[in-house]
Amino acid sequence: MDEKQLIQFVELYLKKKGFKGGELDLSNLLQQHQYNHLHQESDSAPARYHDSYSKLRSWTYNSLDFYKHDLLRVLYPVFIHCFMDLIANQQHVQHARNFFNTFRKDHEMMHLKDLQLLDGVKSPAHLKMEFTRSLRQSKLNIKMCLYSYELLLQYLHKTKSTTILGLINEHINFKVTTGQPSTITDDVDFVMLIGSTQDTDSQINLKEVHLGLLEDSLEDRLDKAGGLLSDSEKTDVKNKEVEKEEPNKKRSIEGGKQGATTKKSKKDKAAAATAKAARPEASVVPTAPRVKPELALPIIPTEVEHSILEDLRNRVQLSSVALPSVNFYTFINAHNGVNSASISHDGSLVAAGFSDSSLKIWDMAKLGQQEDSCEFTYHRFSCVVFSLKVIMVLNSSMVSVVLQGENDSTPTEQVIQSNVDKRPYTLYTGHSGPVYSASFSPLGDFILSSSADSTVRLWSTKLNANLVCYKGHNYPVWDVQFSPFGHYFATASHDRTARIWSMDKVQPLRIMAGHLSDVDCVQWHSNSNYIATGSSDKTVRMWDVESGECVRVFIGHRSMISSLAMSPDGRYMASGDEDGSIILWDLSNGQIVTPLTGHTSCVWSLAFSCEGSLLASGSADSTVKLWDVTTSTKAPKTLESKSSGSVNKLRSLKTLPTKSTPVYSLRFSRRNLLFAAGVLSKTALYLDQAFLGNASWILNVMSPRVPFWDI
């Protein structure tokens, strides 16, 4: 007999015996008892959550160091769910805020962005927002060794922490592994993602993708013809073919001629061996498979095709022992007006998007006619030659400077007036908001710009005119990128979507929706059949251009994604975030190949070399770093390598510091020359009009010792 039936039986008995007021008194007594019980429970709930979490926290921090890092992973999800359970009750809002402010400092180092969002949750109504609702409905996967898992369960049962145990059962999914626990708390495999269901993401990563290069592309045709081989290798191959086809002819050669041929052959083989040693990765990496394009590709003019083939034939093979030359463009006196910078594929054009809604393009050929360039080799970087061009922006006027060497006695200057005829840049106006991104077409005849006015504009660099205005996004467009073959382009916006467009249509062809926050950057795959998008929700997604479906989800970053780059062979992707971390991904399975650490601020630009052996990264910490991708992809990811930290140091080949110039943009030309662009910060700009009459500044040079130039 349950409690309800017992109460009904007592009421019936009192009614039979004639106790008319007894039934009413019993009902009032039961209601009062229930109210007191609920009120007592309500008063004890905040204290119960606070005490349970505080005891779990103390027990975790006092655990053995060998297991502490495993156990610390549980604290953060328990903390945020305790906070949300408390704030779900209107009577406990103040207790929830006190709980949040008391323990938030424990998690600010690793989860600052999440805490800033949760700090805005101040009433039960805020739990209906998308990110809090998805957070409460999702389960977090936590890797933990078997012994650490058993220790946690023993503690919870011994202390009878039913509140914490209920939260863990509802919101955490443990993946128990055999072996020793992790010794690193900042493990990229453990990430707190707002609104992400990792089980669904793992299912997405099982979808089939075709990551090969396009059939019958220029690189494919040149590769088949042997055009990408070095001269010494071509000679070696030709000698071997001659030996196979004409063995009898060689035997009949006279002794003197045979000796000369032998000496020549030895020299050629020695040269070939030297070339192979300079780029050992080229013989190891297998040829990427070929796939058919899903989009109708534009036809390349014959003269342009010949020019590209010539560049490919003269490409410099880079490796860990043969680093690229770097050409750095610096904007001076921009007064924080430059939002973005873009460089054409051959480095001849440099574009900048400004906060005053304008787009400006500098032609390096014309600029070279008006100013001399300073070109020298810095001996500490014997493999790197720096060619410096200084772009100065002074109230829509241009100051062109003739730079003198360190041994020259007197510097000279040449001031170009601000009239339109003499200004060395082309001004494009049409946007009604700040220009956040610009992208040159592969041939350099068009440029796209995206703006806060929610539009994308197509400009002709030949006609210097606006051709099309593309409208479709509802909020600012953060990034725009041309496809590797032109005609198509992709955009990323604050409206949480990415879109595929073609130049001849004003409406988008595909809309990619799935991110939980802003889509901050976008990048095309090498075969143009896929695009990758980086978001403020700390994830990177890869989308099929033909179907518009998400085919990969990459989880591992702890802050918003700021830059993306695809390897030329289509196998790998690099992503940089706001904290300065870079992760190299395997596109075939969506797994982390290796994290690359070294930058201390946001990574704004990434670029692979043309053969894919090197990765260049540009950051807000005013440095350019070169990474050995081939070694990184071969190195196994083990706990020992993580704990020692020596592997990451080996992968970093060179750090090229600027004086005080955050790096906005990087690009490898088809001949493997690295171009970079940035804006000199105000801290490195010194004006002394009273003494010099015009200006003095420190010229930005990619070396620790910086020459001082007075103009």
Side-chain angles (χ1 to χ4, degrees):
M1 183 180 295
D2 59 10
E3 185 179 356
K4 188 175 181 180
Q5 291 177 342
L6 181 61
I7 293 174
Q8 290 178 353
F9 179 77
V10 172
E11 289 178 349
L12 183 61
Y13 175 78
L14 293 174
K15 192 175 182 180
K16 270 187 181 183
K17 294 298 183 180
F19 296 101
K20 296 181 180 180
E23 182 182 355
L24 183 60
D25 292 339
L26 179 63
S27 178
N28 292 335
L29 183 64
L30 290 173
Q31 289 179 2
Q32 182 66 29
H33 176 73
Q34 188 177 7
Y35 173 79
N36 291 337
H37 179 69
L38 291 174
H39 188 68
Q40 185 178 3
E41 256 191 6
S42 177
D43 290 341
S44 63
R48 188 171 69 253
Y49 278 98
H50 189 283
D51 293 342
S52 298
Y53 179 79
S54 181
K55 290 178 181 178
L56 175 65
R57 175 178 176 272
S58 299
W59 175 79
T60 303
Y61 279 106
N62 292 326
S63 300
L64 292 174
D65 291 341
F66 192 63
Y67 303 105
K68 182 186 295 185
H69 302 301
D70 260 2
L71 299 172
L72 283 174
R73 295 177 169 184
V74 182
L75 287 182
Y76 180 64
V78 171
F79 164 72
I80 60 174
H81 286 293
C82 284
F83 166 69
M84 287 193 293
D85 280 2
L86 286 173
I87 212 163
N89 190 330
Q90 184 64 44
Q91 299 177 358
H92 301 155
V93 171
Q94 188 58 42
H95 295 289
R97 300 304 307 173
N98 294 336
F99 174 85
F100 183 80
N101 294 328
T102 302
F103 299 109
R104 68 172 295 172
K105 291 183 179 180
D106 297 339
H107 312 287
E108 284 183 344
M109 181 177 293
M110 295 173 60
H111 305 283
L112 180 60
K113 295 296 182 181
D114 289 354
L115 294 176
Q116 289 174 349
L117 291 174
L118 290 170
D119 194 25
V121 179
K122 298 180 179 179
S123 69
H126 293 165
L127 295 177
K128 297 179 181 179
M129 293 189 297
E130 183 179 353
F131 77 95
T132 52
R133 185 176 67 252
S134 58
L135 182 59
R136 301 194 79 185
Q137 293 174 355
S138 63
K139 268 195 170 186
L140 175 68
N141 293 327
I142 294 182
K143 288 183 179 180
M144 184 176 288
C145 78
L146 180 60
Y147 193 75
S148 299
Y149 179 70
E150 291 176 348
L151 283 177
L152 179 62
L153 290 182
Q154 289 176 9
Y155 165 79
L156 294 175
H157 287 295
K158 184 178 179 180
T159 57
K160 298 180 180 179
S161 302
T162 55
T163 303
I164 303 297
L165 190 59
L167 289 175
I168 289 176
N169 287 333
E170 186 177 358
H171 299 290
I172 297 178
N173 179 33
F174 287 102
K175 291 187 175 181
V176 182
T177 59
T178 58
Q180 295 182 349
S182 172
T183 58
I184 297 177
T185 54
D186 192 15
D187 186 12
V188 294
D189 292 332
F190 170 68
V191 182
M192 187 63 200
L193 291 171
I194 288 184
S196 175
T197 55
Q198 295 184 354
D199 291 336
T200 305
D201 297 338
S202 61
Q203 293 296 323
I204 292 176
N205 290 346
L206 296 178
K207 293 182 179 180
E208 183 181 4
V209 292
H210 304 283
L211 301 175
L213 302 181
L214 286 186
E215 293 179 351
D216 201 34
S217 62
L218 293 179
E219 291 85 352
D220 188 23
R221 279 183 277 169
L222 196 61
D223 194 13
K224 290 178 181 178
L228 293 179
L229 295 176
S230 63
D231 294 337
S232 58
E233 286 177 313
K234 291 177 183 177
T235 305
D236 193 27
V237 171
K238 185 181 291 185
N239 289 338
K240 289 182 179 180
E241 290 177 353
V242 171
E243 288 176 3
K244 290 180 180 179
E245 293 176 359
E246 303 178 359
N248 297 327
K249 188 176 180 180
K250 264 196 163 184
R251 292 172 187 168
S252 61
I253 297 178
E254 297 179 0
K257 292 184 178 179
Q258 186 175 4
T261 305
T262 305
K263 290 179 181 179
K264 185 177 181 181
S265 178
K266 286 182 179 180
K267 289 181 180 179
D268 292 338
K269 289 180 179 179
T274 305
K276 290 179 180 178
R279 53 183 191 92
E281 300 85 357
S283 60
V284 176
V285 179
T287 305
R290 295 316 193 245
V291 297
K292 294 182 179 180
E294 296 179 356
L295 299 173
L297 300 181
I299 299 175
I300 303 177
T302 305
E303 61 275 8
V304 175
E305 182 176 327
H306 290 331
S307 176
I308 295 175
L309 288 173
E310 184 65 23
D311 288 339
L312 295 178
R313 290 190 188 97
N314 295 318
R315 175 185 296 169
V316 178
Q317 294 296 325
L318 302 179
S319 68
S320 58
V321 295
L323 300 184
S325 300
V326 182
N327 194 349
F328 198 101
Y329 300 119
T330 303
F331 293 89
I332 308 294
N333 288 345
H335 303 299
N336 295 328
V338 178
N339 293 327
S340 62
S342 180
I343 306 170
S344 62
H345 286 255
D346 58 359
S348 62
L349 299 176
V350 178
F354 287 81
S355 298
D356 62 0
S357 73
S358 66
L359 176 71
K360 297 177 183 178
I361 298 180
W362 283 262
D363 189 334
M364 293 299 107
K366 296 179 181 178
L367 194 65
Q369 296 173 2
Q370 296 161 351
E371 63 170 333
D372 296 335
S373 62
C374 175
E375 194 168 309
F376 59 90
T377 301
Y378 188 69
H379 293 291
R380 286 182 60 186
F381 304 142
S382 58
C383 56
V384 182
V385 179
F386 301 99
S387 175
L388 304 175
K389 288 198 180 289
V390 182
I391 300 173
M392 297 196 62
V393 184
L394 282 170
N395 298 327
S396 300
S397 65
M398 181 74 183
V399 178
S400 177
V401 183
V402 179
L403 302 176
Q404 302 296 324
E406 291 186 61
N407 297 327
D408 294 337
S409 57
T410 57
T412 60
E413 66 175 355
Q414 175 186 1
V415 180
I416 298 178
Q417 302 299 327
S418 60
N419 54 39
V420 178
D421 295 334
K422 293 187 178 181
R423 71 183 179 199
Y425 62 83
T426 304
L427 176 65
Y428 297 88
T429 57
H431 285 291
S432 58
V435 178
Y436 290 127
S437 180
S439 176
F440 283 98
S441 64
L443 306 182
D445 49 352
F446 298 103
I447 185 172
L448 289 163
S449 60
S450 64
S451 170
D453 61 10
S454 307
T455 66
V456 175
R457 289 182 178 269
L458 177 68
W459 312 83
S460 171
T461 57
K462 305 296 184 183
L463 303 176
N464 296 331
N466 180 222
L467 303 180
V468 188
C469 179
Y470 302 94
K471 298 179 180 179
H473 287 288
N474 301 319
Y475 291 96
V477 183
W478 302 128
D479 194 17
V480 59
Q481 291 294 329
F482 257 114
S483 95
F485 302 96
H487 188 69
Y488 300 96
F489 60 94
T491 55
S493 172
H494 177 59
D495 61 13
R496 306 182 183 181
T497 66
R499 307 189 184 208
I500 304 294
W501 310 71
S502 64
M503 291 172 56
D504 56 348
K505 291 181 173 61
V506 295
Q507 296 298 326
L509 305 178
R510 296 287 185 274
I511 299 177
M512 283 72 172
H515 282 291
L516 302 174
S517 188
D518 294 31
V519 182
D520 299 301
C521 52
V522 63
Q523 188 61 252
W524 286 83
H525 189 267
S526 305
N527 60 21
S528 291
N529 292 338
Y530 303 95
I531 65 166
T533 54
S535 171
S536 295
D537 65 10
K538 308 176 189 176
T539 66
V540 179
R541 290 175 179 261
M542 191 168 77
W543 310 81
D544 189 315
V545 171
E546 184 179 25
S547 63
E549 293 182 354
C550 179
V551 294
R552 289 290 182 273
V553 179
F554 304 91
I555 301 173
H557 284 283
R558 298 191 181 279
S559 58
M560 64 169 283
I561 314 300
S562 55
S563 57
L564 295 169
M566 292 284 187
S567 65
D569 61 4
R571 291 189 178 98
Y572 303 104
M573 176 183 68
S575 57
D577 63 23
E578 194 178 30
D579 293 339
S581 299
I582 302 171
I583 297 181
L584 191 66
W585 305 88
D586 188 341
L587 295 179
S588 61
N589 53 24
Q591 298 298 314
I592 296 174
V593 176
T594 179
L596 305 174
T597 57
H599 285 294
T600 59
S601 188
C602 181
V603 180
W604 281 342
S605 185
L606 293 167
F608 279 94
S609 61
C610 294
E611 75 287 332
S613 61
L614 300 181
L615 173 67
S617 60
S619 170
D621 62 9
S622 302
T623 63
V624 175
K625 289 183 179 290
L626 299 175
W627 309 86
D628 186 358
V629 176
T630 306
T631 305
S632 302
T633 54
K634 292 178 182 177
K637 184 182 175 184
T638 60
L639 292 175
E640 289 78 15
S641 65
K642 285 183 184 180
S643 59
S644 64
S646 60
V647 176
N648 281 336
K649 293 180 181 178
L650 292 176
R651 294 191 186 107
S652 179
L653 299 176
K654 187 76 68 175
T655 298
L656 309 174
T658 66
K659 176 61 183 178
S660 184
T661 304
V663 183
Y664 280 32
S665 179
L666 293 171
R667 179 182 291 280
F668 277 95
S669 70
R670 296 187 182 95
R671 299 194 181 194
N672 263 341
L673 172 64
L674 178 58
F675 294 98
V679 180
L680 186 66
S681 62
K682 287 184 177 180
T683 56
L685 192 62
Y686 302 96
L687 297 178
D688 190 3
Q689 296 181 353
F691 181 71
L692 295 174
N694 192 354
S696 303
W697 66 83
I698 296 178
L699 176 65
N700 172 46
V701 181
M702 299 181 73
S703 64
R705 295 182 296 178
V706 181
F708 186 79
W709 299 90
D710 288 333
I711 304 303

